[in-house]
Amino acid sequence: MYVFKTMVPIYGYLILNGSWVLTKEEAVEGKKAIPKRYVELVSEWLAEQESKRSEATE
């Protein structure tokens, strides 16, 4: 399946917002999980964002 690179930050922000989760195993209270093909890319994106935030606070 095709992966739309523009969806990676969108899914990332949905996870940071708390309205979606990364995997189906984490899904509680009816929250949606991102598609499996995006999990690795969104995980990397989230790690980059955390790295940027920690650099900004130093």
Side-chain angles (χ1 to χ4, degrees), residues 20-43:
W20 285 47
V21 293
L22 196 58
T23 61
K24 289 183 180 181
E25 291 80 26
E26 298 173 355
V28 293
E29 300 176 10
K31 290 186 179 181
K32 293 183 179 181
I34 64 170
K36 284 184 179 182
R37 62 184 182 262
Y38 288 94
V39 171
E40 184 177 341
L41 292 170
V42 173
S43 297

Side-chain angles (χ1 to χ4, degrees), residues 1-2 7 9 12 15 19 23 26-27 33 36 40 42 44 55:
M1 292 191 143
Y2 191 75
M7 291 302 295
I15 290 171
S19 53
T23 61
E26 298 173 355
K36 284 184 179 182
E40 184 177 341
V42 173
E44 291 172 6
E55 289 175 4

